[in-house]
Amino acid sequence: MASTLGAAEVLVASNRGPVSYVVGDGDDGATIEAKRGGGGLVSALSVVDDKLWVCAALTDGDREAVRRGVSEPGVRMLDIDADVHADAYNGIANSVLWFVHHMLYQTPLEPSFGPEFRRQWASYEAYNRAFAEALAEEAAPGATVVVQDYHLALVPGMLRELRDDLRIGHFSHTPWAPVDYFRMLPDDIAEQLLKGMLGADRLAFLTRRWADAFTDCCTRILGGTSGTRIGVHGLGADADFLRERASRADVEERLAALREQVGPDRKVIVRVDRTELSKNIVRGLRAYELLLETRPELRENVVHVAFAYPSRQDLSVYRDYTDEVSRVADSINSRFGVAGWTPVVLHVKDDFARSLAAYRLADVALVNPIRDGMNLVAKEVPVVSDAGCVLVLSREAGAYEELGEDALVVNPYDVGATSAALGAALDMAEDERAERTKRLAAAGTALPPGQWFLDQLDALRG
């Protein structure tokens, strides 16, 4: 057995890896081009050079690269059958586990767990098993393995059966459902998920609230956590990166364009989200509409810059939600807009430089999710806002645990209260806004991505 073990001392497993591949047309036939990914996880893991990242092939280009033996140093991409991956990723991870942890079901109609669910669950098991087997093959004796997120909840238990010598951690980037909601899952599946995660030496969550919810599920369903340690690591924003990136020429260019769209001497309410159901964009727009109704003096003096980047458009419920966001924004503009003033400036094409420009422009940042593991936007905007901003924050965002004291906190379902908070934010005195922004930026960057990952490794090895 020992002779077949790999050499990797630190391994990371996640559905999406740090690289993707595109098939192009070269002089000698089709070429494969590698594109490095961005995002918080890639940034966080860059602090450890000597690691192996195990991920899934997500596109046709990825699968072609695996088949041709094309790879990047430190990355192993798994060519899991495309249908199996689709069932596991869209059928289970994004349409069941995401909905449970974010409490998104319309319970009179859903969920309904029948034969199709069981078929897709078998794919989820197979997908997790492929990761466990690859990690077992690549890990050196006594290596440290950190598994990421709800896509791979069964991996710790499966890997433990294959390699009991490994130090295994799992990090959840989502909320964890309260036990009564979690128990909507079939009883055997709920147990299997918890036992799968408890195969880890240590499990970690973004906030104490999510960690306690997991522990409560284990206590009520399994009788305890079986000795698995539970920790909390509140991922923060990367202040140095954000400030440097926000000062580049492409951001300045987009900032000038946004200022022209907004018009002179107007205050700006900013939101930047994916059109993910949990982000609560429609209620945010309704709150802004109510503000214009109830405070007519704000008309022509405020603009809502709303970036709603399409997400998971292969699922019909997400396509419908994206359409509804656009419809409500258009309705507000039709109702209140006049020549020279567009109440809602909506952008749906993802553009990071433009998002940073909006951060800089923000007088108010609206972050009102129904439920969110953390929400880094809430932490990022105060870091780069040019003149300081007021944060209107849902108490159901993980970020509330760290930022609630200096934000205007709202119940995300209460459109009236959210509207009032937006009004109070616009009215806030400049010196108070500046002081709050300073404290928000300090709290939001207390645990930058690199240190967040190193802390997990230290705790797992301790």
Side-chain angles (χ1 to χ4, degrees), residues 367-371 392-397 400 408-412:
V367 179
N368 68 318
I370 292 168
R371 198 167 166 84
V392 176
L393 179 65
S394 166
R395 68 190 184 198
E396 298 302 317
Y400 164 73
L408 300 186
V409 177
V410 296
N411 170 350

Side-chain angles (χ1 to χ4, degrees), residues 262-279:
V262 166
D265 303 320
R266 286 177 176 140
K267 290 197 171 180
V268 180
I269 300 169
V270 166
R271 82 169 307 133
V272 178
D273 280 309
R274 293 173 295 111
T275 52
E276 157 56 49
L277 305 181
S278 64
K279 298 298 184 182

Side-chain angles (χ1 to χ4, degrees), residues 9 38 84 186 234 324 373 434:
E9 295 288 349
V84 170
E324 180 67 3

Side-chain angles (χ1 to χ4, degrees), residues 161-172:
E161 290 181 1
L162 296 171
R163 293 285 304 276
D164 193 42
D165 60 303
L166 301 178
R167 284 168 291 198
I168 303 170
H170 183 283
F171 193 90
S172 292

Side-chain angles (χ1 to χ4, degrees), residues 9-11 142-148 160 166-171 199-204 228-229 231 233 452-462:
E9 295 288 349
V10 176
L11 301 93
T144 301
V145 182
V146 185
V147 181
Q148 303 296 316
R160 177 68 63 206
L166 301 178
R167 284 168 291 198
I168 303 170
H170 183 283
F171 193 90
D201 297 284
R202 188 174 188 271
L203 300 169
T228 297
R229 291 177 288 141
H233 302 274
W452 167 85
F453 185 58
L454 291 175
D455 284 359
Q456 289 178 67
L457 289 181
D458 288 346
L460 190 51
R461 291 163 170 166

Side-chain angles (χ1 to χ4, degrees), residues 93-325:
N94 289 342
S95 295
V96 176
L97 301 183
W98 181 273
F99 272 59
V100 167
H101 290 316
H102 290 83
M103 299 170 65
L104 294 175
Y105 281 122
Q106 298 181 63
T107 52
L109 299 173
E110 56 186 16
S112 181
F113 298 119
E116 177 63 6
F117 166 78
R118 292 289 173 172
R119 185 190 67 75
Q120 292 181 327
W121 183 258
S123 292
Y124 183 78
E125 291 173 318
Y127 156 81
N128 275 251
R129 192 172 298 110
F131 272 86
E133 289 171 353
L135 292 164
E137 182 182 317
E138 298 285 357
T144 301
V145 182
V146 185
V147 181
Q148 303 296 316
D149 230 356
Y150 61 105
H151 313 95
L152 302 175
L154 302 181
V155 168
M158 291 176 170
L159 182 56
R160 177 68 63 206
E161 290 181 1
L162 296 171
R163 293 285 304 276
D164 193 42
D165 60 303
L166 301 178
R167 284 168 291 198
I168 303 170
H170 183 283
F171 193 90
S172 292
H173 294 265
T174 65
W176 193 271
V179 64
D180 288 341
Y181 207 92
F182 185 75
R183 293 187 88 161
M184 281 198 294
L185 290 168
D187 291 353
D188 61 317
I189 300 298
E191 287 190 20
Q192 188 181 354
L193 274 168
L194 295 176
K195 288 177 179 176
M197 289 181 66
L198 292 176
D201 297 284
R202 188 174 188 271
L203 300 169
F205 298 84
L206 286 164
T207 73
R208 174 53 55 191
R209 180 182 178 186
W210 312 142
D212 288 348
F214 175 82
T215 300
D216 192 29
C217 284
C218 291
T219 301
R220 295 266 300 276
I221 295 171
L222 301 178
T225 55
S226 303
T228 297
R229 291 177 288 141
I230 310 292
V232 174
H233 302 274
L235 176 62
D238 187 336
D240 292 340
F241 165 74
L242 286 169
R243 289 180 179 129
E244 186 278 324
R245 183 66 185 86
S247 65
R248 290 188 201 170
D250 60 342
V251 176
E252 294 286 355
E253 180 185 318
R254 286 160 177 78
L255 183 59
L258 279 175
R259 282 196 174 117
E260 190 172 335
Q261 279 188 292
V262 166
D265 303 320
R266 286 177 176 140
K267 290 197 171 180
V268 180
I269 300 169
V270 166
R271 82 169 307 133
V272 178
D273 280 309
R274 293 173 295 111
T275 52
E276 157 56 49
L277 305 181
S278 64
K279 298 298 184 182
N280 207 24
I281 300 169
V282 171
R283 285 193 189 90
L285 288 167
R286 292 297 188 198
Y288 176 64
E289 181 178 34
L290 183 58
L291 182 66
L292 298 179
E293 274 180 23
T294 55
R295 293 192 50 183
E297 76 277 9
L298 290 175
R299 297 173 198 170
E300 300 189 56
N301 291 310
V302 63
V303 172
H304 185 13
V305 173
F307 294 171
Y309 300 142
S311 172
R312 299 178 183 168
Q313 295 299 289
D314 43 356
L315 298 175
S316 62
V317 67
Y318 282 85
R319 292 195 299 273
D320 292 345
Y321 188 73
T322 301
D323 290 344
E324 180 67 3
V325 168

